[in-house]
Amino acid sequence: MPTKSGGILSRVEQRGIEPVPRDQRNGNPAQLFWVWFAANISILGIPLGATLVALGLNVWQALLAAILGSFGSFALVGLISVAGKHGGAPSLTLSRAIFGVRGNIGPTLVALLSRLGWETVNTMTGAFALLSLSAIIFGTPAEAKKIPVLTFFCIVIFVALTVIVSVAGHAFILTVQKWATYIFGALTLIVAIYLSTTVNWASFISNKPGSLSAFLIAIGTIAAGTGIGWVNSGADMARYQKTSVSSHSLILVAATGAGIPLTIIIGLGIILTAGNSSIATASDPVAAVRMALPAWVSIPYLIAAFAGLLMSNNLSVYSAGLTTITLGFRIPRVYAVILDVVVTTSGALYFTLGSSGFYGPFVTFISLLAVPLSAWTGIFLTDMIRRKQYDPDGLLDLTPTSSYWYWHGINLPAFISWLAAIIVGFLFVTAQVSKNEIWFSGPLASTTIGKNGLAWIVSLLLSGILYAALGGLKQTSQTIKD
């Protein structure tokens, strides 16, 4: 449905997953630069930076790993954005053309779990930021479990602000993300500059370099914790881009828009952890960082942290709403957003008030989901080699009359390739929450690939190769209705 007329702050996007007509696509790549920049001014980059130090890397290795992992993984997000330009629909909706309208349920469910997981982490950490602000300004306890009522209200505040932006939709998100980049990006830069003056750079820089194995693990961890988690949202924001927009520009704005702030935030984590190793294992990383800073720096840091998490959550919830509809919930996009927020709010309440860990489950979570997400990415990118258009009617038709019905609604080459790549990928994975708690360890986890955290790359490459070998590319030559 068309968008209601009115000012950008008063209209609510009415379109769900239906493709945007070509004459209504008027976006430009610069808009997406601000979207990805603001979504990645997130304090969650600090625990990732702590990971690099814990692996034994020196500052140069850690920063290079951060650059390669973040810029490289978001280049994949940019590639998926190109499909959004061609098809005018969300990523997982376009995925129906590849997996079939029923076969696509599996990848869509994984994508939704990924989004809900990240939103839970964002909400919980945003509440931590507000609790820390309250501790500085009002002297209240900073520990969530000591003040459950205040913790509840902090979560409600974060969720309410998320709903306002995500419900409004695409146009409002573009405006909010742009101004958030200016304001909160500047605050983050102030904190970064201050920290750079407090570090003993001579001893820090001269640290003995870590091993090649540790460096490869670091790149994989950063990629899995940044762009891989966003890869299935690439087309969600690019679906309003003009069809004349250069594909290279979409890749560039995603890689640089996210890579720049991520490198800065992860760099902050590297610096802070080098001087305070407790940050790497803190159950509340926001409070751990706050305690390492003087009050006058802590306040802008916490404001920027809260806003960065909020900007990331706005985009994630918007994308999750579209993914929920793609999964088969026949509800308006606004209701899909609210449904997703209810789930993540419940999760945030549990982890803040009922669970004792943050860092271990967080890293384990992103590592596990990286495998099926990468497998989907490999197939999607391989399909894009020949596919430049999508049947807009077929994407929405869930009956046997759909152009994408294939075999009982499942495209076997894509679905089999996806499952096979997931199984093989998990053979190399160790799901370890802490030193003494291991959920499971694959039989090949002790190999070079497993120890170096490269399971997601195996899944990405294997899925694409299998899909091509099984004849998947031949199916992109079908006649497209426009």
PDB file of all heavy atoms in Angstrom, residues 29-30 32 74-83 85-86 241-257 384 388:
ATOM      1  N   PRO A  29      22.357   6.368  -2.395  1.00  0.00           N
ATOM      2  CA  PRO A  29      23.286   5.661  -1.510  1.00  0.00           C
ATOM      3  C   PRO A  29      23.696   6.440  -0.268  1.00  0.00           C
ATOM      4  O   PRO A  29      23.954   5.844   0.780  1.00  0.00           O
ATOM      5  CB  PRO A  29      24.491   5.396  -2.423  1.00  0.00           C
ATOM      6  CG  PRO A  29      23.918   5.364  -3.796  1.00  0.00           C
ATOM      7  CD  PRO A  29      22.834   6.394  -3.784  1.00  0.00           C
ATOM      8  N   ALA A  30      23.766   7.780  -0.359  1.00  0.00           N
ATOM      9  CA  ALA A  30      24.187   8.582   0.797  1.00  0.00           C
ATOM     10  C   ALA A  30      23.263   8.342   1.989  1.00  0.00           C
ATOM     11  O   ALA A  30      23.706   8.346   3.144  1.00  0.00           O
ATOM     12  CB  ALA A  30      24.205  10.063   0.431  1.00  0.00           C
ATOM     13  N   LEU A  32      21.869   5.577   2.849  1.00  0.00           N
ATOM     14  CA  LEU A  32      22.226   4.313   3.484  1.00  0.00           C
ATOM     15  C   LEU A  32      23.526   4.415   4.263  1.00  0.00           C
ATOM     16  O   LEU A  32      23.738   3.670   5.226  1.00  0.00           O
ATOM     17  CB  LEU A  32      22.333   3.214   2.428  1.00  0.00           C
ATOM     18  CG  LEU A  32      21.041   2.906   1.663  1.00  0.00           C
ATOM     19  CD1 LEU A  32      21.249   1.725   0.726  1.00  0.00           C
ATOM     20  CD2 LEU A  32      19.896   2.615   2.621  1.00  0.00           C
ATOM     21  N   PHE A  74      30.582  -6.083   6.191  1.00  0.00           N
ATOM     22  CA  PHE A  74      29.532  -5.171   5.731  1.00  0.00           C
ATOM     23  C   PHE A  74      29.565  -4.953   4.220  1.00  0.00           C
ATOM     24  O   PHE A  74      28.586  -4.464   3.646  1.00  0.00           O
ATOM     25  CB  PHE A  74      29.598  -3.840   6.486  1.00  0.00           C
ATOM     26  CG  PHE A  74      28.693  -3.826   7.686  1.00  0.00           C
ATOM     27  CD1 PHE A  74      29.174  -4.162   8.931  1.00  0.00           C
ATOM     28  CD2 PHE A  74      27.346  -3.534   7.559  1.00  0.00           C
ATOM     29  CE1 PHE A  74      28.339  -4.181  10.042  1.00  0.00           C
ATOM     30  CE2 PHE A  74      26.500  -3.553   8.654  1.00  0.00           C
ATOM     31  CZ  PHE A  74      26.998  -3.877   9.899  1.00  0.00           C
ATOM     32  N   ALA A  75      30.672  -5.325   3.570  1.00  0.00           N
ATOM     33  CA  ALA A  75      30.667  -5.354   2.109  1.00  0.00           C
ATOM     34  C   ALA A  75      29.675  -6.412   1.626  1.00  0.00           C
ATOM     35  O   ALA A  75      29.000  -6.236   0.604  1.00  0.00           O
ATOM     36  CB  ALA A  75      32.067  -5.641   1.581  1.00  0.00           C
ATOM     37  N   LEU A  76      29.564  -7.520   2.390  1.00  0.00           N
ATOM     38  CA  LEU A  76      28.559  -8.543   2.073  1.00  0.00           C
ATOM     39  C   LEU A  76      27.147  -7.978   2.233  1.00  0.00           C
ATOM     40  O   LEU A  76      26.254  -8.274   1.440  1.00  0.00           O
ATOM     41  CB  LEU A  76      28.742  -9.757   2.979  1.00  0.00           C
ATOM     42  CG  LEU A  76      30.025 -10.574   2.799  1.00  0.00           C
ATOM     43  CD1 LEU A  76      30.064 -11.720   3.808  1.00  0.00           C
ATOM     44  CD2 LEU A  76      30.133 -11.117   1.385  1.00  0.00           C
ATOM     45  N   VAL A  77      26.953  -7.170   3.282  1.00  0.00           N
ATOM     46  CA  VAL A  77      25.650  -6.510   3.470  1.00  0.00           C
ATOM     47  C   VAL A  77      25.339  -5.643   2.251  1.00  0.00           C
ATOM     48  O   VAL A  77      24.209  -5.611   1.753  1.00  0.00           O
ATOM     49  CB  VAL A  77      25.647  -5.662   4.748  1.00  0.00           C
ATOM     50  CG1 VAL A  77      24.323  -4.912   4.894  1.00  0.00           C
ATOM     51  CG2 VAL A  77      25.885  -6.537   5.977  1.00  0.00           C
ATOM     52  N   GLY A  78      26.372  -4.931   1.758  1.00  0.00           N
ATOM     53  CA  GLY A  78      26.199  -4.096   0.571  1.00  0.00           C
ATOM     54  C   GLY A  78      25.828  -4.901  -0.657  1.00  0.00           C
ATOM     55  O   GLY A  78      25.002  -4.469  -1.479  1.00  0.00           O
ATOM     56  N   LEU A  79      26.432  -6.078  -0.794  1.00  0.00           N
ATOM     57  CA  LEU A  79      26.095  -6.942  -1.928  1.00  0.00           C
ATOM     58  C   LEU A  79      24.624  -7.362  -1.885  1.00  0.00           C
ATOM     59  O   LEU A  79      23.941  -7.371  -2.909  1.00  0.00           O
ATOM     60  CB  LEU A  79      26.995  -8.180  -1.917  1.00  0.00           C
ATOM     61  CG  LEU A  79      28.420  -7.989  -2.446  1.00  0.00           C
ATOM     62  CD1 LEU A  79      29.271  -9.210  -2.123  1.00  0.00           C
ATOM     63  CD2 LEU A  79      28.409  -7.730  -3.954  1.00  0.00           C
ATOM     64  N   ILE A  80      24.139  -7.709  -0.700  1.00  0.00           N
ATOM     65  CA  ILE A  80      22.722  -8.065  -0.563  1.00  0.00           C
ATOM     66  C   ILE A  80      21.835  -6.855  -0.857  1.00  0.00           C
ATOM     67  O   ILE A  80      20.720  -6.989  -1.381  1.00  0.00           O
ATOM     68  CB  ILE A  80      22.434  -8.621   0.847  1.00  0.00           C
ATOM     69  CG1 ILE A  80      23.293  -9.848   1.135  1.00  0.00           C
ATOM     70  CG2 ILE A  80      20.951  -8.958   0.993  1.00  0.00           C
ATOM     71  CD1 ILE A  80      23.046 -11.017   0.231  1.00  0.00           C
ATOM     72  N   SER A  81      22.340  -5.656  -0.539  1.00  0.00           N
ATOM     73  CA  SER A  81      21.589  -4.431  -0.829  1.00  0.00           C
ATOM     74  C   SER A  81      21.312  -4.284  -2.322  1.00  0.00           C
ATOM     75  O   SER A  81      20.292  -3.728  -2.728  1.00  0.00           O
ATOM     76  CB  SER A  81      22.357  -3.207  -0.331  1.00  0.00           C
ATOM     77  OG  SER A  81      22.543  -3.234   1.064  1.00  0.00           O
ATOM     78  N   VAL A  82      22.233  -4.765  -3.140  1.00  0.00           N
ATOM     79  CA  VAL A  82      22.058  -4.686  -4.591  1.00  0.00           C
ATOM     80  C   VAL A  82      20.792  -5.438  -5.017  1.00  0.00           C
ATOM     81  O   VAL A  82      20.062  -4.991  -5.901  1.00  0.00           O
ATOM     82  CB  VAL A  82      23.298  -5.247  -5.311  1.00  0.00           C
ATOM     83  CG1 VAL A  82      23.067  -5.293  -6.823  1.00  0.00           C
ATOM     84  CG2 VAL A  82      24.529  -4.415  -4.986  1.00  0.00           C
ATOM     85  N   ALA A  83      20.529  -6.575  -4.372  1.00  0.00           N
ATOM     86  CA  ALA A  83      19.306  -7.325  -4.679  1.00  0.00           C
ATOM     87  C   ALA A  83      18.076  -6.503  -4.326  1.00  0.00           C
ATOM     88  O   ALA A  83      17.047  -6.580  -5.008  1.00  0.00           O
ATOM     89  CB  ALA A  83      19.302  -8.653  -3.921  1.00  0.00           C
ATOM     90  N   LYS A  85      17.822  -3.303  -4.554  1.00  0.00           N
ATOM     91  CA  LYS A  85      17.648  -2.353  -5.652  1.00  0.00           C
ATOM     92  C   LYS A  85      16.944  -3.010  -6.835  1.00  0.00           C
ATOM     93  O   LYS A  85      16.061  -2.425  -7.464  1.00  0.00           O
ATOM     94  CB  LYS A  85      19.010  -1.811  -6.086  1.00  0.00           C
ATOM     95  CG  LYS A  85      18.942  -0.822  -7.241  1.00  0.00           C
ATOM     96  CD  LYS A  85      20.305  -0.525  -7.824  1.00  0.00           C
ATOM     97  CE  LYS A  85      20.847  -1.705  -8.626  1.00  0.00           C
ATOM     98  NZ  LYS A  85      22.051  -1.345  -9.423  1.00  0.00           N
ATOM     99  N   HIS A  86      17.318  -4.246  -7.156  1.00  0.00           N
ATOM    100  CA  HIS A  86      16.721  -4.939  -8.295  1.00  0.00           C
ATOM    101  C   HIS A  86      15.282  -5.374  -8.021  1.00  0.00           C
ATOM    102  O   HIS A  86      14.423  -5.265  -8.893  1.00  0.00           O
ATOM    103  CB  HIS A  86      17.552  -6.179  -8.638  1.00  0.00           C
ATOM    104  CG  HIS A  86      18.906  -5.880  -9.195  1.00  0.00           C
ATOM    105  ND1 HIS A  86      19.126  -4.911 -10.138  1.00  0.00           N
ATOM    106  CD2 HIS A  86      20.133  -6.439  -8.932  1.00  0.00           C
ATOM    107  CE1 HIS A  86      20.412  -4.869 -10.459  1.00  0.00           C
ATOM    108  NE2 HIS A  86      21.050  -5.783  -9.727  1.00  0.00           N
ATOM    109  N   GLN A 241      15.835   2.291  -3.111  1.00  0.00           N
ATOM    110  CA  GLN A 241      16.872   2.919  -3.923  1.00  0.00           C
ATOM    111  C   GLN A 241      16.451   2.968  -5.395  1.00  0.00           C
ATOM    112  O   GLN A 241      15.804   2.054  -5.910  1.00  0.00           O
ATOM    113  CB  GLN A 241      18.172   2.131  -3.803  1.00  0.00           C
ATOM    114  CG  GLN A 241      18.821   2.214  -2.426  1.00  0.00           C
ATOM    115  CD  GLN A 241      19.457   3.564  -2.176  1.00  0.00           C
ATOM    116  OE1 GLN A 241      20.380   3.983  -2.879  1.00  0.00           O
ATOM    117  NE2 GLN A 241      18.979   4.250  -1.142  1.00  0.00           N
ATOM    118  N   LYS A 242      16.847   4.044  -6.075  1.00  0.00           N
ATOM    119  CA  LYS A 242      16.582   4.147  -7.506  1.00  0.00           C
ATOM    120  C   LYS A 242      17.247   2.984  -8.232  1.00  0.00           C
ATOM    121  O   LYS A 242      18.338   2.566  -7.878  1.00  0.00           O
ATOM    122  CB  LYS A 242      17.142   5.466  -8.052  1.00  0.00           C
ATOM    123  CG  LYS A 242      16.522   6.711  -7.467  1.00  0.00           C
ATOM    124  CD  LYS A 242      17.221   7.951  -8.000  1.00  0.00           C
ATOM    125  CE  LYS A 242      16.661   9.224  -7.371  1.00  0.00           C
ATOM    126  NZ  LYS A 242      17.402  10.430  -7.826  1.00  0.00           N
ATOM    127  N   THR A 243      16.585   2.487  -9.266  1.00  0.00           N
ATOM    128  CA  THR A 243      17.160   1.377 -10.021  1.00  0.00           C
ATOM    129  C   THR A 243      18.411   1.808 -10.779  1.00  0.00           C
ATOM    130  O   THR A 243      19.213   0.963 -11.186  1.00  0.00           O
ATOM    131  CB  THR A 243      16.133   0.807 -11.014  1.00  0.00           C
ATOM    132  OG1 THR A 243      15.650   1.875 -11.854  1.00  0.00           O
ATOM    133  CG2 THR A 243      14.954   0.196 -10.263  1.00  0.00           C
ATOM    134  N   SER A 244      18.601   3.106 -10.958  1.00  0.00           N
ATOM    135  CA  SER A 244      19.779   3.617 -11.668  1.00  0.00           C
ATOM    136  C   SER A 244      21.002   3.740 -10.773  1.00  0.00           C
ATOM    137  O   SER A 244      22.108   4.018 -11.252  1.00  0.00           O
ATOM    138  CB  SER A 244      19.466   4.981 -12.279  1.00  0.00           C
ATOM    139  OG  SER A 244      19.101   5.920 -11.261  1.00  0.00           O
ATOM    140  N   VAL A 245      20.836   3.533  -9.471  1.00  0.00           N
ATOM    141  CA  VAL A 245      21.952   3.653  -8.528  1.00  0.00           C
ATOM    142  C   VAL A 245      23.011   2.597  -8.833  1.00  0.00           C
ATOM    143  O   VAL A 245      22.695   1.447  -9.134  1.00  0.00           O
ATOM    144  CB  VAL A 245      21.433   3.493  -7.074  1.00  0.00           C
ATOM    145  CG1 VAL A 245      22.576   3.233  -6.111  1.00  0.00           C
ATOM    146  CG2 VAL A 245      20.663   4.728  -6.653  1.00  0.00           C
ATOM    147  N   SER A 246      24.262   2.993  -8.740  1.00  0.00           N
ATOM    148  CA  SER A 246      25.367   2.079  -8.986  1.00  0.00           C
ATOM    149  C   SER A 246      25.429   0.997  -7.893  1.00  0.00           C
ATOM    150  O   SER A 246      25.343   1.299  -6.708  1.00  0.00           O
ATOM    151  CB  SER A 246      26.687   2.843  -9.027  1.00  0.00           C
ATOM    152  OG  SER A 246      27.790   1.980  -8.899  1.00  0.00           O
ATOM    153  N   SER A 247      25.588  -0.251  -8.317  1.00  0.00           N
ATOM    154  CA  SER A 247      25.720  -1.344  -7.355  1.00  0.00           C
ATOM    155  C   SER A 247      26.977  -1.179  -6.507  1.00  0.00           C
ATOM    156  O   SER A 247      26.980  -1.468  -5.312  1.00  0.00           O
ATOM    157  CB  SER A 247      25.756  -2.693  -8.093  1.00  0.00           C
ATOM    158  OG  SER A 247      24.549  -2.912  -8.791  1.00  0.00           O
ATOM    159  N   HIS A 248      28.057  -0.697  -7.130  1.00  0.00           N
ATOM    160  CA  HIS A 248      29.302  -0.493  -6.401  1.00  0.00           C
ATOM    161  C   HIS A 248      29.125   0.513  -5.272  1.00  0.00           C
ATOM    162  O   HIS A 248      29.722   0.384  -4.201  1.00  0.00           O
ATOM    163  CB  HIS A 248      30.406  -0.021  -7.348  1.00  0.00           C
ATOM    164  CG  HIS A 248      30.828  -1.053  -8.350  1.00  0.00           C
ATOM    165  ND1 HIS A 248      30.271  -1.139  -9.607  1.00  0.00           N
ATOM    166  CD2 HIS A 248      31.722  -2.067  -8.258  1.00  0.00           C
ATOM    167  CE1 HIS A 248      30.822  -2.144 -10.265  1.00  0.00           C
ATOM    168  NE2 HIS A 248      31.703  -2.728  -9.472  1.00  0.00           N
ATOM    169  N   SER A 249      28.287   1.526  -5.496  1.00  0.00           N
ATOM    170  CA  SER A 249      28.082   2.547  -4.467  1.00  0.00           C
ATOM    171  C   SER A 249      27.339   1.969  -3.267  1.00  0.00           C
ATOM    172  O   SER A 249      27.605   2.351  -2.121  1.00  0.00           O
ATOM    173  CB  SER A 249      27.313   3.742  -5.042  1.00  0.00           C
ATOM    174  OG  SER A 249      26.006   3.366  -5.452  1.00  0.00           O
ATOM    175  N   LEU A 250      26.429   1.039  -3.505  1.00  0.00           N
ATOM    176  CA  LEU A 250      25.705   0.412  -2.399  1.00  0.00           C
ATOM    177  C   LEU A 250      26.649  -0.427  -1.540  1.00  0.00           C
ATOM    178  O   LEU A 250      26.546  -0.445  -0.318  1.00  0.00           O
ATOM    179  CB  LEU A 250      24.573  -0.460  -2.932  1.00  0.00           C
ATOM    180  CG  LEU A 250      23.411   0.272  -3.623  1.00  0.00           C
ATOM    181  CD1 LEU A 250      22.403  -0.725  -4.153  1.00  0.00           C
ATOM    182  CD2 LEU A 250      22.746   1.254  -2.670  1.00  0.00           C
ATOM    183  N   ILE A 251      27.569  -1.109  -2.189  1.00  0.00           N
ATOM    184  CA  ILE A 251      28.556  -1.904  -1.458  1.00  0.00           C
ATOM    185  C   ILE A 251      29.478  -0.990  -0.664  1.00  0.00           C
ATOM    186  O   ILE A 251      29.775  -1.247   0.511  1.00  0.00           O
ATOM    187  CB  ILE A 251      29.372  -2.774  -2.436  1.00  0.00           C
ATOM    188  CG1 ILE A 251      28.444  -3.748  -3.163  1.00  0.00           C
ATOM    189  CG2 ILE A 251      30.467  -3.539  -1.695  1.00  0.00           C
ATOM    190  CD1 ILE A 251      29.115  -4.490  -4.313  1.00  0.00           C
ATOM    191  N   LEU A 252      29.900   0.106  -1.292  1.00  0.00           N
ATOM    192  CA  LEU A 252      30.829   1.031  -0.648  1.00  0.00           C
ATOM    193  C   LEU A 252      30.218   1.703   0.569  1.00  0.00           C
ATOM    194  O   LEU A 252      30.855   1.788   1.633  1.00  0.00           O
ATOM    195  CB  LEU A 252      31.293   2.093  -1.657  1.00  0.00           C
ATOM    196  CG  LEU A 252      32.293   3.130  -1.135  1.00  0.00           C
ATOM    197  CD1 LEU A 252      33.598   2.455  -0.735  1.00  0.00           C
ATOM    198  CD2 LEU A 252      32.547   4.201  -2.192  1.00  0.00           C
ATOM    199  N   VAL A 253      28.973   2.178   0.465  1.00  0.00           N
ATOM    200  CA  VAL A 253      28.375   2.904   1.597  1.00  0.00           C
ATOM    201  C   VAL A 253      28.103   1.969   2.773  1.00  0.00           C
ATOM    202  O   VAL A 253      28.197   2.373   3.929  1.00  0.00           O
ATOM    203  CB  VAL A 253      27.088   3.648   1.187  1.00  0.00           C
ATOM    204  CG1 VAL A 253      27.378   4.714   0.159  1.00  0.00           C
ATOM    205  CG2 VAL A 253      26.015   2.693   0.677  1.00  0.00           C
ATOM    206  N   ALA A 254      27.771   0.705   2.488  1.00  0.00           N
ATOM    207  CA  ALA A 254      27.561  -0.241   3.584  1.00  0.00           C
ATOM    208  C   ALA A 254      28.873  -0.540   4.293  1.00  0.00           C
ATOM    209  O   ALA A 254      28.947  -0.539   5.530  1.00  0.00           O
ATOM    210  CB  ALA A 254      26.939  -1.529   3.059  1.00  0.00           C
ATOM    211  N   ALA A 255      29.937  -0.782   3.516  1.00  0.00           N
ATOM    212  CA  ALA A 255      31.236  -1.125   4.100  1.00  0.00           C
ATOM    213  C   ALA A 255      31.820   0.044   4.889  1.00  0.00           C
ATOM    214  O   ALA A 255      32.298  -0.126   6.015  1.00  0.00           O
ATOM    215  CB  ALA A 255      32.207  -1.563   3.013  1.00  0.00           C
ATOM    216  N   THR A 256      31.781   1.245   4.333  1.00  0.00           N
ATOM    217  CA  THR A 256      32.366   2.403   5.019  1.00  0.00           C
ATOM    218  C   THR A 256      31.443   2.945   6.096  1.00  0.00           C
ATOM    219  O   THR A 256      31.902   3.342   7.172  1.00  0.00           O
ATOM    220  CB  THR A 256      32.683   3.524   4.014  1.00  0.00           C
ATOM    221  OG1 THR A 256      31.490   3.884   3.288  1.00  0.00           O
ATOM    222  CG2 THR A 256      33.742   3.075   3.023  1.00  0.00           C
ATOM    223  N   GLY A 257      30.135   2.972   5.817  1.00  0.00           N
ATOM    224  CA  GLY A 257      29.192   3.494   6.800  1.00  0.00           C
ATOM    225  C   GLY A 257      29.241   2.732   8.102  1.00  0.00           C
ATOM    226  O   GLY A 257      29.161   3.311   9.192  1.00  0.00           O
ATOM    227  N   MET A 384      22.601 -14.331  -7.188  1.00  0.00           N
ATOM    228  CA  MET A 384      22.656 -12.984  -7.756  1.00  0.00           C
ATOM    229  C   MET A 384      23.568 -12.882  -8.970  1.00  0.00           C
ATOM    230  O   MET A 384      23.505 -11.890  -9.712  1.00  0.00           O
ATOM    231  CB  MET A 384      23.129 -11.983  -6.685  1.00  0.00           C
ATOM    232  CG  MET A 384      22.082 -11.625  -5.651  1.00  0.00           C
ATOM    233  SD  MET A 384      22.753 -10.473  -4.402  1.00  0.00           S
ATOM    234  CE  MET A 384      23.186  -9.053  -5.429  1.00  0.00           C
ATOM    235  N   LYS A 388      18.816 -10.718 -12.033  1.00  0.00           N
ATOM    236  CA  LYS A 388      18.774  -9.262 -11.930  1.00  0.00           C
ATOM    237  C   LYS A 388      17.367  -8.740 -11.672  1.00  0.00           C
ATOM    238  O   LYS A 388      17.182  -7.549 -11.415  1.00  0.00           O
ATOM    239  CB  LYS A 388      19.312  -8.624 -13.222  1.00  0.00           C
ATOM    240  CG  LYS A 388      20.742  -9.027 -13.565  1.00  0.00           C
ATOM    241  CD  LYS A 388      21.713  -8.677 -12.447  1.00  0.00           C
ATOM    242  CE  LYS A 388      23.128  -9.107 -12.794  1.00  0.00           C
ATOM    243  NZ  LYS A 388      24.076  -8.870 -11.664  1.00  0.00           N
TER     244      LYS A 388
END
